[in-house]
């Protein structure tokens, strides 16, 4: 017969592995479910946009996609070209 301590350690170890495996499978299922919900939502949105576009064409409305115009380039303030100002020299030095 094996040592009871070994049996208890094996049960604890394999029990922990079983719980970890169950948590992994559960988290994987939640991840897959999240992706499926996102995909179904995107499909529903695509269908809704297509139906709305078809209804607007049937009603004679303009179906052109409205794109915003790019902003006008900012006018640069032209700085007057001036000669660099002469700096005063420190006492005891020549001015450059």
């Amino acid at each position: 017969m094996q040592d009871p301590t070994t049996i208890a350690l094996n049960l604890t170890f394999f029990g922990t592995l079983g719980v970890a495996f169950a948590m992994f499978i559960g988290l994987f299922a939640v991840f897959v479910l999240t992706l499926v919900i996102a995909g179904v939502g995107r499909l529903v949105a695509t269908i809704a946009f297509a139906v709305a576009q078809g209804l607007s064409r049937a009603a004679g409305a303009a179906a052109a996609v409205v794109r915003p115009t790019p902003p006008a380039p900012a006018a640069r303030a032209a700085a007057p070209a001036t000669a660099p100002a002469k700096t005063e020299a420190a006492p005891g030095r020549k001015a450059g």
Side-chain angles (χ1 to χ4, degrees):
M1 184 172 174
Q2 290 186 358
D3 185 19
T5 305
T6 305
I7 294 172
L9 287 174
N10 281 336
L11 289 175
T12 302
F13 175 71
F14 289 119
T16 303
L17 280 183
V19 169
F21 182 72
M23 290 173 67
F24 173 76
I25 294 299
L27 188 59
F28 181 76
V30 167
F31 180 70
V32 168
L33 185 65
T34 302
L35 290 178
V36 167
I37 289 172
V40 168
R42 184 170 179 170
L43 180 65
V44 167
T46 304
I47 292 171
F49 279 121
V51 168
Q53 188 175 16
L55 290 176
S56 69
R57 282 188 183 167
V65 176
V66 177
R67 292 189 173 91
T69 58
R76 290 188 217 164
T82 59
K86 289 191 175 184
T87 57
E88 292 186 27
R93 296 185 179 245
K94 287 185 173 181

